Amino acid sequence: MYEVRDVTFPCGPETLAGKLFLPVGEGLHPAVTIMGPVAFVKEQSPIQYATRLVQQGLAVLIFDPRNHGASSGEPRRFESGEAKIEDLRAAVDFLTEQGGIDQSQLHLLGICQGVNWAIEAAAQDERIASLGIVAGHYLTPDTAIMYLGDAKSVEARMNRSAAAAAKFSETGTVDYIPIVGSPEALLTATAVAEWYLPWDNEAPWFLHRGGWENRITAMSEAGIWGWQISDAASRLLLPVLMVHGDKAASGPDIPKRIYQQIPSAHKTLHWIDGANQLQFYEDPLTIDRVIAALGPYFRGEQISL
């Protein structure tokens, strides 16, 4: 039904590793590049969307951002919004060099925290024809308080991150924190930990999962909890499809507020009642409902919601 190629492409001095999904058949295909959740590897939610979108006649590129998975970059598991924006633009560069792809139909898809970097890249890069943002963990001051409890806790995390960055700059020593499973982790919700922890398994029969690690550099936090995506969202003039649910990341109110800030004359909000964040990652029924909107949207057709 489709072809999958293991690919690599450069982003500055780094080499990014990915998979390119191509529909069967000749002709020029619209193409989608996917950016997944915080500290993801391509074998998590991106591959769930890629295998479905390619069956909608779309070429799809998924990849590990620098410092993660099979891609190069040090320190390992350093999460940088600026770097991920550059990685997305490098992925678009790569797609422009591939045969069989419609160069006028290059799209971005962000999932969970990846929506922020997809928004930023789309606001900067005129080659992007449209943007899809699904189950967004939209980074705003209100989101940081929602996840960490109060402004004092946010400040403590920011200070810890700054101290870790100073230590790395002075000594080259990298401090790490868990992503889940601890009060000191980046994400402390029990439900999120229960989903992620099985991925931290290096047994040989789980190698197809991409080697996800339950750690992130402590100096990453400032760039997460301190980001404000509203500015970039207010510059989006291209078509935008936002998909969200009542129990998805950042709750129901913050995404709706971000949506209102988007000035595009061609924007659509697709709300999936009752869906929680983890369903957007792996539940086939929920993802199929998302794809039913994303497929026609990326093909430039009318969406029936």
Side-chain angles (χ1 to χ4, degrees):
M1 298 175 67
Y2 53 84
E3 176 187 355
V4 185
R5 300 177 185 170
D6 290 322
V7 299
T8 60
F9 55 94
C11 183
E14 307 301 343
T15 299
L16 307 185
K19 291 183 180 294
L20 178 61
F21 294 74
L22 295 168
V24 171
E26 298 182 359
L28 296 179
H29 304 290
V32 182
T33 301
I34 300 179
M35 179 62 71
V38 64
F40 77 99
V41 290
K42 61 187 178 296
E43 290 81 6
Q44 292 177 317
S45 59
I47 206 166
Q48 297 290 337
Y49 286 78
T51 54
R52 290 168 168 85
L53 286 170
V54 70
Q55 296 181 64
Q56 297 277 324
L58 302 161
V60 187
L61 176 61
I62 61 175
F63 65 95
D64 294 325
R66 72 183 75 176
N67 311 325
H68 302 284
S71 293
S72 70
E74 296 288 341
R76 301 305 295 172
R77 301 299 273 171
F78 175 51
E79 188 81 359
S80 166
E82 291 88 352
K84 285 190 168 182
I85 296 163
E86 292 178 1
D87 292 347
L88 276 171
R89 300 190 69 176
V92 174
D93 291 341
F94 172 77
L95 287 173
T96 64
E97 300 168 355
Q98 307 308 304
I101 289 177
D102 186 343
Q103 304 298 318
S104 69
Q105 292 296 318
L106 303 175
H107 311 277
L108 295 184
L109 171 60
I111 304 165
C112 188
Q113 199 173 112
V115 302
N116 299 280
W117 324 128
I119 288 171
E120 296 277 3
Q124 298 175 22
D125 197 328
E126 294 182 353
R127 297 173 297 176
I128 306 306
S130 73
L131 171 66
I133 41 181
V134 174
H137 177 205
Y138 296 94
L139 295 177
T140 71
D142 288 346
T143 305
I145 290 174
M146 176 189 299
Y147 274 76
L148 299 179
D150 53 43
K152 184 177 180 180
S153 297
V154 175
E155 182 180 9
R157 291 298 188 102
M158 297 288 283
N159 290 340
R160 181 174 73 174
S161 181
K167 180 179 178 180
F168 175 71
S169 178
E170 294 168 6
T171 69
T173 301
V174 182
D175 288 341
Y176 286 93
I177 59 173
I179 296 174
V180 294
S182 162
E184 300 301 311
L186 175 71
L187 304 171
T188 58
T190 300
V192 177
E194 289 176 344
W195 188 82
Y196 271 110
L197 285 175
W199 284 87
D200 191 24
N201 187 330
E202 298 180 0
W205 45 86
F206 283 134
L207 293 180
H208 66 281
R209 288 183 167 184
W212 183 85
E213 303 172 70
N214 184 29
R215 63 173 185 154
I216 190 173
T217 63
M219 59 184 171
S220 299
E221 281 199 287
I224 295 172
W225 305 124
W227 202 274
Q228 171 56 278
I229 195 56
S230 296
D231 294 342
S234 68
R235 300 196 305 273
L236 290 175
L237 299 177
L238 76 172
V240 178
L241 172 60
M242 176 186 285
V243 183
H244 208 78
D246 308 67
K247 300 175 183 178
S250 59
D253 297 330
I254 292 172
K256 291 177 181 177
R257 188 163 69 239
I258 296 293
Y259 181 79
Q260 291 302 319
Q261 293 169 342
I262 296 172
S264 172
H266 304 283
K267 63 179 183 179
T268 303
L269 175 59
H270 179 31
W271 204 264
I272 300 182
D273 291 334
N276 68 55
Q277 190 69 10
L278 304 182
Q279 288 178 281
F280 285 104
Y281 289 178
E282 69 171 11
D283 174 33
L285 297 179
T286 299
I287 297 175
D288 284 350
R289 293 180 66 184
V290 178
I291 296 299
L294 286 176
Y297 168 72
F298 286 137
R299 293 195 304 268
E301 301 170 4
Q302 184 70 31
I303 306 172
S304 179
L305 303 177

